[in-house]
Amino acid sequence: MRGSASVAGRAGLLLAAALAVPLALAVLLLPLDPSAMDLGQAWAGPSAAHPLGCDGLGRDVAARLIAGTGASCAIAGLALALAAGGPAQACPRSMADGSSGSRRPACPLYTAPRTPG
């Protein structure tokens, strides 16, 4: 089992790197502001300045795609960290063990331990 977990871990790390490296390079190669508008360029097709063209407000589609991908990767990384560490890692101990004084746990990520039976 240990060998297969190691292979799966390495494959996951390789996949994460395969997604992160092009994203980092794209940010360096296409330093356009994703929210900058130029109404003169509205619905412009692909060009050297705008590789994927512009939308109806003249915003660069490639820059918006890169910005959205970065946000998605950040959210996925946070979800992975929470899943790997569990709710106890995501909340302070006083919140995760229910000692906040209320009947309901203060931490929304806390899940009550399952009792066998």
Side-chain angles (χ1 to χ4, degrees), residues 49-108:
H50 305 284
L52 295 178
C54 295
D55 66 2
L57 295 175
R59 299 174 296 193
D60 185 56
V61 174
R64 294 180 63 77
L65 181 68
I66 291 168
T69 303
S72 295
C73 286
I75 292 169
L78 177 62
L80 180 63
L82 289 174
Q89 298 295 324
C91 299
R93 190 159 198 56
S94 64
M95 293 173 74
D97 66 7
S99 64
S100 60
S102 67
R103 294 189 69 186
R104 217 170 60 182
C107 180

